[in-house]
Amino acid sequence: MTQQQRSTAQWRELDAAHHLHPFTDTASLNEQGVRMITHADGIYLWDSEGNKITDGMAGLWCVNIGYGRKDLSEVAKRQMDELAYYNTFFKTSHPAVVELSHLLAQVAPAGFDHVFYTNSGSESVDTMIRMVRRYWDVKGKPQKKTLIGRWNGYHGSTIGGASLGGMTYMHEQGELPIPGIAHIEQPWYYKHGKDMTPEEFGVAAARWLEDKILEIGADKVAAFVGEPIQGAGGVIIPPSTYWPEIERICRKYDILLVADEVICGFGRTGEWFGQQHFGFKPDIFTTAKGLSSGYLPIGAVFVGNDVAATIAAGGDFNHGFTYSGHPVAAAVAHANVKALRDEGIVQRVKEETGPYMQQRWRETFGQFEHVDDVRGVGLIQAFTLVKNKATRELFDNWGEMGTMCRDIFFGNNLIMRACGDHMVSAPPLVITKAEIDTMLGTAARSVETFEKKLRERGLA
Ligand SMILES: *Cc1c(COP(=O)(O)O)cnc(C)c1O
């Protein structure tokens, strides 16, 4: 251990004194004190009190390969010793970024031979926004500026990403969205699709895009952007008819189609990318998270060949980051992606652990009185806490039950996340069937406790 050893109480005190946490009510956190995570291996974390915790969220949906891979840390050390940093701005490149680019072109769907590097999902999204607008400039249609996202979509926390995302509580802080951004409703069947079949609803929800395009004017719309499955919004999985209809509409009105694959990418659904699960072909897609399994910060925008050729035809693209294609991050991402492929980790999610999780997930949660819309694909799954299953009535104070349930899971040393009253899970892709069984056993006990508390408090 390189860090100084202190007691949990000392760490908590120093954290409260000096560290501002993301997406956090600082006063309330400091009252409770943080949980100190000190090390990790496979799908497990350990805290400073010695508790072993199952990480049902792969960190923040990112540690696809699992914790503790010494081969990745060795690659990082070797690369740091050899070439810790050099930029790629001024007619230079380096072996790590070239090798990564070559490998990414191999795992990407056909037609994606180029990548642009960033340090995060948010930067990938901001890069994409600038690239989309630049594309239409070069095409001689500079008035095509507006990007359409979705309410409750998540595209990161930078000004561009937060604008395109549909989290109104983020828009409220900081005068967002920026100009040239519009939103349509999310394809959440459980809430919005009541008198339709899922297939009918998928088409109807996609047509909201057409309505919005006609409202703005197709000559002003640059792109539609969506996560194949909305992650942070609560694992909203659109019906199978949704994405093909979205694609048809984008082609009809000559609008770029962008997939934000920051969560769905690199094996989460059992395919390499979420677009392959749903069977559509975007023009651009953004990635980060699973690209390095979180071992180092790196993101990549996959640019389709038509867009790449257009951007290239336009001369200088005035955009980039000091750490675009950072050698150490690139080397680690390369080792990570190669392992996901060569060790058959993505394939195992598709053929074995994904189907197993989905079957067991439905068996485990299908029977609870206040759990409904039990859903998932590959190793991303969720259920929703509801007041009344028969009428699909949600609880009044959206998010309150989710937080209560999440805290019970946490108390049982299982990390799942509450997105409002959606309880979501996305464990490392290396999870075994036996580990799935153990995890779901703990989860079922936690939901039992949750329902007992509901009854005790007269909430249901
Ligand atoms: C996490 C996430 C982002 C933002 O990524 P950061 O690395 O946190 O900037 C963007 N889009 C999606 C879909 C995400 O899940």
Side-chain angles (χ1 to χ4, degrees), residues 2 45 54 84 89-90 127 146 155-156 167 174 243 272 439:
T2 47
L45 305 163
T54 302
F89 281 32
F90 307 120
T127 296
T146 298
H155 300 297
M167 302 298 184
W243 279 110
W272 273 89
M439 172 181 152

Side-chain angles (χ1 to χ4, degrees), residues 60-61 119-123 125 154-158 227 229 231-232 260-264 286 288-289:
L60 271 180
W61 325 78
N119 304 290
S120 68
S122 301
E123 288 182 5
V125 168
Y154 187 77
H155 300 297
S157 201
T158 47
E227 303 153 79
I229 294 170
D260 185 348
E261 295 266 13
V262 171
I263 286 177
C264 291
T286 48
K289 295 190 172 121

Side-chain angles (χ1 to χ4, degrees), residues 13 81 130 154 161 203 206 212 249 268 297 347 364 372 433 446 448:
E13 197 181 316
D81 289 343
R130 299 201 63 202
Y154 187 77
V203 173
K212 184 57 86 177
I249 292 166
R268 181 54 63 195
Q347 196 168 347
T364 303
D372 210 359
K433 285 181 173 180
S446 305
E448 274 164 33

Side-chain angles (χ1 to χ4, degrees), residues 229-290:
I229 294 170
Q230 281 158 260
V235 183
I236 309 294
I237 307 176
S240 62
T241 48
Y242 180 77
W243 279 110
E245 181 65 7
I246 288 280
E247 185 174 20
R248 188 190 69 77
I249 292 166
C250 288
R251 300 299 164 235
K252 179 176 174 188
Y253 294 99
D254 196 19
I255 283 159
L256 293 178
L257 174 54
V258 180
D260 185 348
E261 295 266 13
V262 171
I263 286 177
C264 291
F266 300 101
R268 181 54 63 195
T269 66
E271 301 288 346
W272 273 89
F273 298 96
Q275 61 197 265
Q276 295 163 312
H277 173 77
F278 289 103
F280 70 99
K281 212 160 175 34
D283 298 290
I284 302 179
F285 63 95
T286 48
T287 70
K289 295 190 172 121

